[in-house]
Amino acid sequence: MKVIEKMMDNAAKTIVRLLQQRLAQREKQLAHHGARQGGEWRSLMKTFIQPGTFPLLIITVLALTSCRKNNPSGGGGVVATDLLRPATMRFYEGPVGGGGPVWKYEYDKDNFLVKFGEEGKNFRNVDGGKVELKLFATNFETTTLYDYSIAGPGTMSIYEPKLSPATVSIQTAIRNLLNNQITKPPVIEWNFSYNSDFQVVKEVTAVDSDREVYYTYDDKKNLKKIEFMSLVDKHWMVGVRTTVTGYDDKRSPFSAVKGYRWASYPQNYNDQYAQAFCINNPTQMKTEFWSTTKNAYYLAEQTDFGYAYNAQGYPTRIDVKTTYTPEIGAASGAIRTYEFTYK
């Protein structure tokens, strides 16, 4: 990503610098699997992060994505009186106590999630078939609509596993508040396939039909592996593969929140993918890239998780340590922390 010049203010420069660092770390992974990161999000970054334009898309996806307990659908959790749901989540990078935003979670009378995020900065409105993501920055307002549907007539609801969507249509609109001009990139559509347990096993986009994502699960219905496949010289190959090497035996933060898999879509980081499709909390993930020079996979990214739990067994704190190891060059790392309260 080119250095962004002539930013409108110092705050904008700081945000862009963070985005550049994050994109630089992930550039090789984006080039490999070219899925949502390399397609939707990176194209938006290149198109709209120009002087004074920074919709904060990458910052937003740092939020944890959920997993479900005792429900293998990947589309929601179970409803029970002894289950807890997040009330707030604070997340930050770096040392303990380093600040960071606090997100709030709102539910209706049926305990369905209807809104979450940080009011006035970035948040999501949720219903049974649509999710609206709102982002605010200096002189800009970004709205992304995730419109879920099924193939053909019938009922669909992100809150019910058996009614999980077959398709999501993604439309983003960026409003320049200085001149009230609205810019819209092309609509992106992703299609989903499921197994008999209503777990997602395949994602494919109509825009890049040479890109596919496959998910496999273990005998406990925990996520086992994600494979990003590409069509190279008319042959399918796995360019990137991520394996979850272990889980704890506790409930994950969003295990009782029905539909959070779709409410928080898309997932972009290793910890987000693992927790989006898990039953328990992941303890470690490893991502391998295919080396065209060595004709072999190498460990490019390892994520280790540490947890502190409350009396009910839910994580109140999650420490995420990620080590990035390029094929050539020195390794680097990042530490993220998430703190939860429940209700």
Side-chain angles (χ1 to χ4, degrees):
M1 182 177 174
K2 295 181 179 180
V3 176
I4 301 170
E5 302 176 345
K6 299 179 181 179
M7 299 306 298
M8 295 179 64
D9 52 38
N10 290 334
K13 292 179 181 178
T14 300
I15 292 172
V16 171
R17 184 170 65 253
L18 293 173
L19 292 172
Q20 288 175 317
Q21 293 171 353
R22 176 64 65 186
L23 289 174
Q25 287 179 326
R26 312 248 344 141
E27 182 63 28
K28 187 166 185 178
Q29 185 171 0
L30 302 185
H32 270 290
H33 52 72
R36 286 183 290 277
Q37 301 98 317
E40 176 186 354
W41 297 116
R42 188 170 57 175
S43 65
L44 284 174
M45 295 293 288
K46 288 183 176 180
T47 302
F48 296 106
I49 299 185
Q50 298 171 356
T53 62
F54 46 98
L56 309 183
L57 295 175
I58 299 300
I59 290 177
T60 299
V61 299
L62 290 178
L64 268 179
T65 306
S66 73
C67 48
R68 263 75 42 194
K69 174 72 172 180
N70 297 331
N71 189 325
S73 69
V78 294
V79 176
T81 57
D82 63 335
L83 299 183
L84 301 179
R85 298 167 183 83
T88 66
M89 178 185 71
R90 174 174 174 256
F91 62 95
Y92 52 91
E93 297 197 26
V96 175
V102 176
W103 286 25
K104 296 182 179 180
Y105 296 83
E106 299 178 14
Y107 306 87
D108 66 11
K109 60 181 179 59
D110 297 315
N111 290 320
F112 289 160
L113 181 65
V114 295
K115 185 176 182 179
F116 66 99
E118 188 179 11
E119 189 70 42
K121 293 189 176 181
N122 54 79
F123 61 87
R124 294 189 183 221
N125 296 310
V126 185
D127 69 22
K130 291 181 174 61
V131 178
E132 180 188 57
L133 169 63
K134 301 285 291 187
L135 303 173
F136 301 89
T138 304
N139 300 323
F140 287 87
E141 177 182 313
T142 302
T143 302
T144 300
L145 181 64
Y146 299 90
D147 191 355
Y148 294 101
S149 61
I150 60 174
T155 302
M156 193 285 305
S157 172
I158 65 171
Y159 298 126
E160 299 299 333
K162 293 183 179 181
L163 304 178
S164 293
T167 300
V168 61
S169 177
I170 306 169
Q171 175 67 74
T172 296
I174 300 177
R175 180 189 296 273
N176 185 325
L177 300 179
L178 295 178
N179 56 21
N180 202 34
Q181 181 179 355
I182 298 177
T183 305
K184 292 184 178 181
V187 175
I188 297 174
E189 183 177 285
W190 282 82
N191 301 314
F192 310 104
S193 299
Y194 300 84
N195 61 19
S196 58
D197 293 316
F198 307 106
Q199 294 168 298
V200 174
V201 294
K202 179 180 178 181
E203 295 184 43
V204 60
T205 174
V207 176
D208 295 320
S209 57
D210 60 343
R211 304 277 197 262
E212 294 183 353
V213 186
Y214 288 85
Y215 301 87
T216 55
Y217 304 86
D218 63 18
D219 56 359
K220 295 182 179 179
K221 297 183 174 64
N222 277 312
L223 176 69
K224 181 179 181 180
K225 184 180 291 186
I226 310 171
E227 295 177 304
F228 298 91
M229 298 191 68
S230 301
L231 189 61
V232 180
D233 296 330
K234 299 182 179 181
H235 296 285
W236 284 100
M237 67 170 294
V238 178
V240 178
R241 63 188 185 190
T242 295
T243 304
V244 185
T245 62
Y247 289 89
D248 67 10
D249 59 353
K250 305 293 194 303
R251 293 172 172 173
S252 60
F254 296 91
S255 56
V257 181
K258 300 185 85 174
Y260 193 73
R261 160 71 177 92
W262 304 114
S264 59
Y265 183 91
Q267 292 74 45
N268 291 273
Y269 289 83
N270 276 355
D271 48 325
Q272 293 178 339
Y273 275 112
Q275 296 195 25
F277 293 90
C278 76
I279 293 175
N280 305 116
N281 298 291
T283 56
Q284 186 183 77
M285 299 179 62
K286 293 183 177 181
T287 295
E288 299 170 292
F289 291 168
W290 175 259
S291 170
T292 56
T293 58
K294 299 179 181 179
N295 289 324
Y297 290 99
Y298 68 94
L299 181 62
E301 186 172 323
Q302 178 171 314
T303 304
D304 294 283
F305 302 82
Y307 298 93
Y309 308 95
N310 61 16
Q312 292 82 7
Y314 287 90
T316 56
R317 177 187 169 114
I318 305 176
D319 295 307
V320 183
K321 180 182 179 181
T322 303
T323 301
Y324 304 97
T325 307
E327 186 174 3
I328 300 175
S332 61
I335 297 176
R336 293 192 300 279
T337 300
Y338 302 87
E339 297 175 345
F340 288 90
T341 65
Y342 297 89
K343 58 183 178 182

